[in-house]
């Protein structure tokens, strides 16, 4: 299959990438560019598109056969359900049996934006979209390209991250092209995404909302709006054999680079300085020397603050430790870069677990297969 790549010049179409700078998503220039993509979605094809979190791989979410094509293109296990993307709050009602009061409050606070909520599904949502579950995940993205594409398609768009299953989520169109060329109909190139980690997922079907996946709508932000929020145990650590996590995707080894990744965490500083001080830097340098002496190529995942303190190894900064936003934005790109460089193993600094750090550490510990070396 030939995959058409369409570049969206956000300056020419009068729209910006970030939710804060968005102006008029309804410009006719953008509509003209997106019309073909919307038509592909309506007729059962696959289109990758930018959202504010990561690139999504879209299909008509009400078309069982179209949604199933996503699983084939990604090589994704078919029990891992998809998120339905909508462009306006009024598009939610037909997809769900009821909208609980907590959901309304969260929607008012965070939609459009990086928050996905789990509802009881209505009859029109096919099981091919929900991986056989009676619940459905719904999100309203804020990226004007995503939003306008969904509006023009006129259907809810099922869209998981546009990567091959098991690879880090794509944060640029080049990542999508690398994974999906020849497997899907079209890729919309809207430049690098703004957030860089996938949406926060909250289950609102029970009496207390449950956080299933941390993201840019943080635990602190959720609690400010709805008070009590429970945390699914699958976020913290590996899921025990035989236990079914609430978000089926959490059981798979996600976000994984090809090299073995080990997180190095300094215990004493865990809360205050995010697990990385002199002892962590020294430990990483020692491990790098040991591996290099064995003839292995070693990557170091660090920050702008520390990058000059690693004399050996392939050193890559994920951004400023002082700016969690910068770290989230670059994390997956750096993991992919290590893949491209073909390093054998990666040692990574750790981060604080508060605010956006909860999402950063969740993705990193999963990428590491929960290998954390305490020092
Ligand atoms: P991704 O496609 O990478 O954005 O991942 C979608 C995530 O949403 C996966 O972790 C899924 O398990 C989760 N998800 C989607 N639908 C549901 C649902 N109905 N209940 C719980 N988790 C869901
Ligand atoms: Mg994914």
């Amino acid at each position: 299959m030939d995959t058409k790549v369409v570049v969206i010049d956000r300056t020419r179409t009068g729209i910006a990438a970030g939710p804060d700078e968005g102006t008029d998503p309804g410009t006719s220039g953008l509509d003209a560019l997106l019309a073909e993509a919307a038509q592909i979605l309506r007729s059962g094809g696959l289109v990758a598109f930018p959202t504010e979190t990561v690139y999504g791989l879209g299909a008509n979410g009400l078309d069982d056969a179209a949604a199933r094509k996503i699983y084939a293109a990604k090589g994704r296990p078919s029990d891992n359900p998809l998120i339905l993307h909508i462009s306006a709050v009024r598009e939610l009602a037909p997809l769900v049996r009821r909208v609980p009061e907590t959901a309304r409050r969260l929607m008012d606070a965070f939609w459009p934006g990086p928050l996905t909520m789990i509802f009881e599904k209505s009859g029109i949502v096919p099981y091919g979209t929900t991986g056989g579950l009676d619940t459905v995940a719904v999100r309203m993205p804020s990226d004007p390209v995503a939003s306008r594409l969904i509006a023009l398609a006129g259907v809810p768009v099922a869209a998981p991250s546009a990567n091959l299953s098991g690879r880090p989520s794509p944060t640029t169109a080049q990542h999508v092209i690398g994974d999906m060329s020849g497997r899907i109909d079209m890729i919309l190139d809207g430049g690098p995404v703004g957030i860089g980690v996938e949406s926060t997922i909250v289950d609102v079907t029970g009496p207390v909302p449950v956080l299933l996946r941390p993201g840019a709508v943080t635990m602190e932000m959720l609690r400010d709006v709805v008070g009590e929020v429970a945390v699914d145990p699958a976020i913290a650590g590996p899921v025990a054999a035989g236990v079914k996590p609430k978000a089926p995707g959490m059981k798979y080894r996600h976000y994984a680079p090809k090299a073995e990744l080990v997180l190095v965490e300094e215990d004493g500083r865990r809360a205050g300085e995010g697990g990385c001080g002199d002892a962590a830097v020294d430990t990483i340098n020692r491990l790098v020397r040991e591996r290099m002496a064995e003839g292995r190529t070693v990557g170091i995942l660090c920050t702008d603050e520390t990058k000059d303190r690693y004399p050996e190894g392939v050193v890559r900064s994920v951004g400023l430790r002082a700016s969690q936003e910068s770290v989230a934005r670059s994390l997956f790109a750096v993991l992919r870069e290590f893949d491209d460089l073909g390093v054998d193993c990666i040692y990574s600094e750790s981060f604080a677990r508060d605010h956006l750090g909860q999402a950063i550490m969740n993705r990193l510990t999963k990428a590491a297969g929960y290998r954390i070396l305490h020092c």
Side-chain angles (χ1 to χ4, degrees):
M1 176 192 295
D2 273 350
T3 302
K4 184 168 176 178
V5 179
V6 175
V7 178
I8 303 208
D9 180 350
R10 290 179 187 264
T11 54
R12 208 169 56 79
T13 48
I15 51 163
D20 295 332
E21 306 124 79
T23 49
D24 177 13
T27 56
S28 56
L30 181 60
D31 281 9
L33 277 172
L34 297 183
E36 187 184 351
Q39 180 53 37
I40 292 171
L41 289 174
R42 269 198 304 278
S43 55
L46 300 184
V47 177
F49 60 96
T51 82
E52 69 276 23
T53 56
V54 299
Y55 271 75
L57 175 55
N60 179 352
L62 299 184
D63 175 348
D64 202 62
R68 284 177 198 278
K69 282 189 197 168
I70 289 179
Y71 292 97
K74 280 180 63 90
R76 178 176 174 119
S78 62
D79 67 344
N80 191 357
L82 309 173
I83 296 172
L84 286 185
H85 292 69
I86 59 176
S87 66
V89 169
R90 66 173 179 280
E91 295 163 20
L92 174 66
L95 307 176
V96 302
R97 282 185 51 196
R98 62 190 187 94
V99 180
E101 178 53 28
T102 37
R104 285 194 196 287
R105 279 158 57 197
L106 290 170
M107 214 179 288
D108 284 348
F110 303 116
W111 276 9
L115 174 68
T116 297
M117 282 185 276
I118 309 291
F119 300 89
E120 290 162 33
K121 82 173 193 70
S122 72
I124 66 166
V125 179
Y127 283 108
T129 298
T130 68
L133 296 174
D134 288 315
T135 53
V136 62
V138 186
R139 177 166 105 82
M140 182 172 150
S142 65
D143 183 306
V145 174
S147 178
R148 195 65 198 151
L149 173 65
I150 297 161
L152 289 173
V155 292
V157 174
S161 49
N163 53 282
L164 288 174
S165 196
R167 295 216 65 201
S169 293
T171 54
T172 67
Q174 285 64 43
H175 298 160
V176 182
I177 292 167
D179 279 13
M180 289 296 156
S181 257
R183 307 174 78 94
I184 63 177
D185 299 288
M186 183 182 272
I187 297 170
L188 298 176
D189 177 353
V193 301
I195 293 174
V197 290
E198 306 88 342
S199 60
T200 304
I201 304 181
V202 177
D203 183 345
V204 290
T205 59
V208 174
V210 184
L211 179 69
L212 304 186
R213 178 172 75 183
V217 171
T218 66
M219 193 65 175
E220 291 86 346
M221 291 159 71
L222 294 168
R223 285 191 169 138
D224 272 353
V225 174
V226 292
E228 189 185 359
V229 179
V231 178
D232 190 61
I235 288 175
V239 182
V243 176
K244 223 176 161 188
K246 282 198 158 177
M250 297 295 271
K251 72 171 175 275
Y252 297 106
R253 183 168 177 253
H254 246 176
Y255 324 113
K258 289 171 193 155
E260 179 184 287
L261 172 68
V262 177
L263 261 170
V264 177
E265 182 165 45
E266 194 171 326
D267 283 335
R269 296 175 183 252
R270 209 161 163 159
E273 292 177 38
C276 185
D278 292 344
V281 172
D282 291 347
T283 301
I284 291 173
N285 275 323
R286 177 174 55 77
L287 292 164
V288 169
R289 278 195 303 274
E290 285 173 14
R291 294 293 85 72
M292 287 178 69
E294 295 163 6
R296 306 224 279 163
T297 51
V298 190
I300 300 172
L301 190 152
C302 63
T303 53
D304 286 0
E305 288 90 337
T306 50
K307 65 176 192 291
D308 296 329
R309 299 180 61 190
Y310 299 104
E312 289 163 291
V314 182
V315 182
R316 290 291 179 275
S317 169
V318 276
L320 270 173
R321 175 172 295 278
S323 161
Q324 291 180 322
E325 285 72 23
S326 75
V327 174
R329 204 177 300 129
S330 304
L331 183 62
F332 288 140
V334 170
L335 292 178
R336 278 180 180 260
E337 195 186 342
F338 281 129
D339 274 355
D340 296 341
L341 291 164
V343 298
D344 301 315
C345 55
I346 305 164
Y347 291 104
S348 172
E349 295 182 357
S350 290
F351 295 87
R353 287 177 165 80
D354 59 352
H355 302 284
L356 190 50
Q358 189 183 17
I360 293 167
M361 283 299 282
N362 171 258
R363 305 313 191 266
L364 263 176
T365 51
K366 288 186 75 173
Y370 304 99
R371 282 179 297 261
I372 303 184
L373 203 150
H374 294 277
C375 63

